[in-house]
Structure formats: structure tokens, C-alpha cells
Amino acid sequence: LTPFFRSEVGGRRVVAVAAGGEHSLFLAEGGAVLSCGRGTGGMLGHGNEHTQLAPKLVASLEGRCIVQVAAGTNHSLFLAEGGAVLSCGDGDAGRLGHGDKEKQLVPKPVAALEGRRVVQVAADTCHSLFVMEGGTALSCGWGRSGRLGHGDEEKQLLPKLVAALEGKRVVEVAAGDYHSLFLVQRGAVL
């Protein structure tokens, strides 16, 4: 079999990708974002819930330079240059970080993170993770099985500091269906 490599989507050079449960995000050179797949809850960011069969530019993000994308099962996260985070999709359990459970059809800035510099995001089924400049980590969404790292199973509608990581510098996070991973400076994984 010959591998198929495609460095362009929609006429744009792609520099990063993210795969959700039933949707895909493409980060293009220059910070533009394209999305395709199932649009339920607005997770594609196009202002509706329609299925998009081919990658389409997320027009509501034009004018912002996006540097990272993360795709959960039913939501999407967009990290902008300068550290702002936007989210869209199904807001159930607070996974979007807006303080409610409402769906967002277009990417909306996460107000609770404004004025703070986020350097990495991760998303999965029912939760979102954020790494802040300086190495602290925050989480929001459904706390079932302790996946948020707060020592309970409560829902968090707003990003909340993962206090158990105090004194540790988080450098990377990853979100799984029922768990989260935190890579800290010096190589330890929690």
C-alpha cells in the first residue's frame, strides 16, 4: 500500500489536525481553521448543526490566528495566538467552560480564561483541559471517574484549577474518555 499524504485542505496548507468522535478539525498555515463531519451541537463552528461532508473554513474565526485545535466527542476547542480560548459544540456538563450547559453554534471565547494566557488545550468526551503559562492546569466538564482531577466526580461548569498539581509545572495534557494525563516538568506523568 502506498501511503496517501495530503498537505492541503480546501486550498490551504495544513499544519495540525484534531479528530473528535465524528468530526475533524484542520489548522491551516496562518491560523485559519477548517472543519467537517457531524455538526450536532454546533461542534463544527459554522453556526448550525448541519453535517459538513468536506472541510469548510470556520468563518467566525477569521481575523484570529489560531495556534492549536482540540476535538472532543461533541465539542471543539480553539487556542488563539496570545492565549485566548474559544469553544463550541454541545455544552453538556460544562465541557465548553462557559458556566452553563448550553450549546454554542459558533466558537465563543471562554470568558473565565480571559486575561490569562493558555498555552495548550485538550478535549475528549465530556471534559476539557487547559495548561496555563507558568504550568498550572485547569479542567471543566463532567467529573465522572475523577477525570477532572479535583478529587470528586462533580461537574465543573467553569475551568477550575487542578489543586492536586500545585507545586508541579504541567507541560502537556491529554484527555481520554474517562481519564486525563498530566505531563509535568522533569518527565513525571500523573
Side-chain angles (χ1 to χ4, degrees), residues 11-24:
R12 297 172 187 263
R13 182 165 157 49
V14 174
V15 295
V17 295
E22 296 183 64
H23 74 298
S24 300

Side-chain angles (χ1 to χ4, degrees), residues 83-105:
V85 177
L86 298 94
S87 64
C88 65
D90 183 349
D92 187 41
R95 68 182 128 214
L96 299 180
H98 298 299
D100 58 32
K101 299 177 187 176
E102 301 299 314
K103 65 183 164 187
Q104 295 294 326
L105 299 179

Side-chain angles (χ1 to χ4, degrees), residues 148-170:
L148 298 182
H150 301 301
D152 59 32
E153 295 191 23
E154 299 297 315
K155 292 177 183 168
Q156 294 296 323
L157 301 181
L158 293 168
K160 179 180 175 182
L161 180 69
V162 181
L165 297 171
E166 193 172 348
K168 295 173 176 53
R169 185 178 177 86
V170 178

Side-chain angles (χ1 to χ4, degrees), residues 51-129:
T51 294
Q52 182 65 40
L53 299 179
K56 178 181 176 181
L57 183 69
V58 180
S60 60
L61 290 173
E62 285 188 295
R64 292 185 183 266
C65 181
I66 303 302
V67 296
Q68 187 194 357
V69 292
T73 300
N74 295 304
H75 71 297
S76 300
L77 301 176
F78 308 93
L79 177 60
E81 188 174 58
V85 177
L86 298 94
S87 64
C88 65
D90 183 349
D92 187 41
R95 68 182 128 214
L96 299 180
H98 298 299
D100 58 32
K101 299 177 187 176
E102 301 299 314
K103 65 183 164 187
Q104 295 294 326
L105 299 179
V106 295
K108 176 182 175 181
V110 179
L113 298 173
E114 286 181 9
R116 302 164 79 181
R117 186 177 174 88
V118 179
V119 296
Q120 195 222 337
V121 294
D124 206 294
T125 304
C126 294
H127 70 299
S128 299
L129 304 172

